[in-house]
Amino acid sequence: MDLIRNRYLLVPFLVVFLTFCLDKLLLLENVHTYFSKSLSDINYIQKNQLYEDLKVYLSNKDRDKVLVYFGNSRALLFDNEYIHKKYPGWVMFNFSVPGGKPDYVLQWMEEFHKDKVKPDFFLFDHSVEMYNSAATLKVDETLTNGLNVSFVLKHFSSFSTDDISTLVAKRMFRAYQYRPKLEVIVTRAKNKDTMLIPYRELRNNLMENLSRGKGSAMTPGTHKSVLPQELLKKSAFGDFHSYLVPFHFSDQILSFTDQSLMLAKELDVPSAVIWVRLSLPYMDHIRNLKVSVGNGKEDTVYHDWFPRMLEYHKKNGIPFWNMNDDPNYTCNNFSDAGHMSPTCYDEYTDFIFKNLFQSLVKGAR
């Protein structure tokens, strides 16, 4: 009764509700293309259809064997035509997404486990940057584009208060994530033929290419050129200080990966974890530059992180494919410090399948 008499108390709730509704209107594809600039969300959206396609494909009696890869932006550009020609009988369903983290992988693995979806091999990613809980520049794309609120609530204790704040702010109110600017909206509205329509076509084409490539596609803007050495050194310096200084190892991230690997075991599907190749200047910083690693200690990122990975894999018997210490892997063309040039992807693919066949042979003994 007091609330009815004092209707002004409802005003804040009404404002929040109207803001929420307006925010959802802004996210309609033909609305938010007036101000959004990223294509990353397309990768996340497409994975829902990819999962449905995978289930249908696995039901076929005469299907090829399926490798499911859970990675990040370092694993977006594979070519199933190359795989089909060089490794007949195999196909890759690529669940890699920009900024893909172990929490997002676990969310999918819980779906695979629930639906009893059983490919022939799981490949997971160990990116050293994802294990840093103290990074200057945090990677939060899984929170903003990939994680379901129900998953976060289920694993609530595994997320920091900053993570929860990011989820609430950027998922409930996407305008906060995209930060629409009137100048951009007006410019695109005035130049529909040269700006708005081409941008929409880019998004549509990427979705089609991802579907055609079973989760892999050349994102518009990706180039085959190799970054010159001097620029590569600058990129490595910037990435190292953005993502790895200081470095505080996150046991929670390893826990997410551990749970995914356990679900793979319960599905009786063999699996492995890969540390994807980084540029030589970037690895030089990781191996040799000392940073704060917590508790008043200084050490190199490599010495603090790598032994933990070796111990984990030895203890659990999970294959660890280390591209950065493999003397037989020779392609060092990079588009930036952390991303191999598309010109390396054939050799990258060869590395994966060489190790995959070795793992299957060992597992059969």
Side-chain angles (χ1 to χ4, degrees), residues 12 26 66 71 153 302 305 315 317 329 344 359:
L26 290 173
V66 174
L153 292 175
Y302 186 89
W305 178 79
K315 178 181 177 181
Y329 186 84
C344 282
S359 293

Side-chain angles (χ1 to χ4, degrees), residues 38-83:
S38 174
L39 297 171
S40 294
D41 60 314
I42 297 293
N43 287 271
Y44 284 89
I45 294 168
Q46 192 271 336
K47 294 302 173 279
N48 295 305
Q49 183 59 51
L50 182 66
Y51 184 60
E52 297 304 316
D53 293 344
L54 174 61
K55 289 191 288 187
V56 171
Y57 187 82
L58 290 173
S59 67
N60 296 333
K61 292 183 179 180
D62 58 346
R63 67 174 178 84
D64 290 338
K65 292 184 178 180
V66 174
L67 164 64
V68 167
Y69 190 173
F70 289 106
N72 50 45
S73 57
R74 292 170 181 156
L76 298 178
L77 310 180
F78 291 99
D79 182 358
N80 266 308
E81 289 187 12
Y82 177 80
I83 294 172

Side-chain angles (χ1 to χ4, degrees), residues 51 70 105-119 122 154 259-269:
Y51 184 60
F70 289 106
V105 175
L106 177 58
Q107 177 176 280
W108 271 117
M109 284 302 297
E110 290 182 350
E111 260 327 276
F112 276 67
H113 187 264
K114 176 175 67 71
D115 295 339
K116 294 182 172 55
V117 175
K118 299 176 61 172
F122 284 118
K154 177 181 177 182
Q259 291 176 70
S260 292
L261 289 165
M262 287 300 298
L263 291 175
K265 282 185 177 180
E266 291 179 16
L267 285 169
D268 196 28
V269 176

